[in-house]
Amino acid sequence: DQQVKQNSPSLSVQEGRISILNCDYTNSMFDYFLWYKKYPAEGPTFLISISSIKDKNEDGRFTVFLNKSAKHLSLHIVPSQPGDSAVYFCAASENQGGKLIFGQGTELSVKP
Amino acid sequence: NAGVMQNPRHLVRRRGQEARLRCSPMKGHSHVYWYRQLPEEGLKFMVYLQKENIIDESGMPKERFSAEFPKEGPSILRIQQVVRGDSAAYFCASSLLQAGAFFGQGTRLTVV
């Protein structure tokens, strides 16, 4: 069973515009959520995280929103830059740690 | 301050051989996780270790796979009698506490 889902395999955005990547989860025990960015042939790079006690966390151009009632989180990138082109994974964990459950990833392409 | 180091980066094994993947966590990190990424899929949790202890191995295949994190030295993921289906990218992550894992560059295993 896929506990964390990223339903959009790909997203294309114009440079300077907003990129919105979405993620849904089914396990109500998840209390910590993370976004990772991954380039081909490299390991995932941590971007931003959010605890379930919050509904928003912001770091520079990156903002993560959490809607617990809908079991939905999103990553907003504003403004989008060509260097943001990569695969983005959302991940979730229980009890603020331990193993991470990953979504399938969304490939973001930012066009100049 | 070196990040998570994995070696080798690429490993080719013939069917039936053994594969040994090594992971040195970030300095001071005592939690190590192994994940596998099959082609066109997201990362799947395999095992979570602390020094000399396996904490959670719920994602490990029941046969041929084992992992250790000795008191001294790197964590080792060992795959015995490899088959073509073991071909994947294997990522190691480490953390100081249980959340916020940082990933290595991965080992790409190809079974021929």
Side-chain angles (χ1 to χ4, degrees), chain A residues 4-107:
Chain A
V4 178
K5 294 182 183 179
Q6 294 176 256
N7 291 318
S8 298
S10 62
L11 175 68
S12 183
V13 171
Q14 206 67 32
E15 181 179 7
R17 299 289 192 106
I18 184 171
S19 295
I20 300 176
L21 297 103
N22 293 302
C23 180
D24 297 295
Y25 62 96
T26 57
N27 187 345
S28 57
M29 297 300 292
F30 288 148
D31 58 6
Y32 191 64
F33 304 89
L34 307 90
W35 283 94
Y36 285 86
K37 175 180 179 180
K38 186 179 182 303
Y39 293 115
E42 292 188 13
T45 301
F46 171 75
L47 273 177
I48 192 169
S49 63
I50 187 167
S51 166
S52 60
I53 62 173
K54 295 185 174 182
D55 54 18
K56 177 183 175 181
N57 189 25
E58 191 172 354
D59 183 2
R61 295 186 299 115
F62 302 91
T63 303
V64 55
F65 296 91
L66 175 62
N67 182 334
K68 287 189 292 295
S69 61
K71 293 191 177 66
H72 177 83
L73 67 154
S74 60
L75 174 68
H76 292 210
I77 307 173
V78 182
S80 302
Q81 300 172 353
D84 296 330
S85 297
V87 178
Y88 289 78
F89 290 97
C90 69
S93 70
E94 295 181 32
N95 301 318
Q96 293 282 324
K99 68 184 182 187
L100 295 175
I101 307 298
F102 281 85
Q104 308 95 308
T106 296
E107 183 172 9

Side-chain angles (χ1 to χ4, degrees), chain A residues 36 41 43 96-100 102, chain B residues 9 35 45 58 98-99 101 104 108:
Chain A
Y36 285 86
Q96 293 282 324
K99 68 184 182 187
L100 295 175
F102 281 85
Chain B
R9 290 292 307 274
Y35 293 83
F45 168 78
S58 57
Q98 286 187 305
R108 274 140 194 90

